[in-house]
Amino acid sequence: PSLASAHTPEPFDAAGLLVARKIRERNPPGIRVIEAAGDISSVIELLHHAECVVAVDAVQSGGKAGQVHRFDVIQSDLPAGWFNISTHAFGLAEAVAMARQLGRLPPRFIVFGIEAEDFKTGARPSSAIEAAVHEAADRIIREIGGKAR
């Protein structure tokens, strides 16, 4: 299985990138970590060739900062408006919708959304976001079949 971390720009706690880096540090067997920061069209191509994809991005749903949400993209669409905090016009939700329309979704596709908190450029992740990064990394490793540490 592979893991693709969708872009989470630095102004949005960098939650997705931090999760990808945490998983890479743990180096679980069978998981390939990809950081895609900005070019979502390349993510669509990666989706088509993967057996299993787990993406992580910041969300804004009105929930508590650091709350971790899980979505099975094969079963249903991503919630409208939750993933629209990207600094790019084309974010994860749009990439998933386009991949679905093109018939390029992988057989298994899970998205973890981490409720964002600080929108200031260069802001350090809060303790809530840091805890969410660890939680999401553990859940992803367990879900894909590895052992969380």
Side-chain angles (χ1 to χ4, degrees):
S2 63
L3 169 101
S5 174
H7 77 291
T8 302
E10 295 298 327
F12 302 109
D13 294 315
L17 295 175
L18 292 172
V19 171
R21 291 170 186 166
K22 180 64 63 186
I23 292 171
R24 183 179 289 122
E25 285 173 14
R26 295 178 184 179
N27 196 25
I31 297 178
R32 178 177 165 213
V33 177
I34 300 167
E35 292 182 29
D39 184 12
I40 295 299
S41 61
S42 65
V43 173
I44 293 172
E45 190 58 31
L46 291 170
L47 295 177
H48 181 61
H49 298 291
E51 173 187 316
C52 172
V53 173
V54 178
V56 182
D57 205 354
V59 298
Q60 190 173 31
S61 71
K64 183 178 175 185
Q67 182 177 358
V68 179
H69 306 275
R70 182 193 176 279
F71 308 96
D72 183 335
V73 176
I74 302 303
Q75 300 298 318
S76 62
D77 292 329
L78 291 173
W82 283 34
F83 292 86
N84 292 342
I85 58 176
S86 173
T87 56
H88 303 281
F90 196 72
L92 179 60
E94 292 82 9
V96 169
M98 181 174 283
R100 187 183 308 282
Q101 289 295 319
L102 296 171
R104 292 183 163 253
L105 288 178
R108 186 170 175 217
F109 190 2
I110 306 299
V111 172
F112 282 86
I114 297 178
E115 198 70 40
E117 180 174 29
D118 196 338
F119 296 91
K120 291 179 263 176
T121 302
R124 291 186 47 89
S126 68
S127 59
I129 299 303
E130 288 179 3
V133 165
H134 288 282
E135 176 188 342
D138 286 347
R139 288 174 64 180
I140 290 165
I141 292 168
R142 279 194 305 270
E143 181 149 347
I144 294 177
K147 292 186 178 181
R149 294 183 216 181

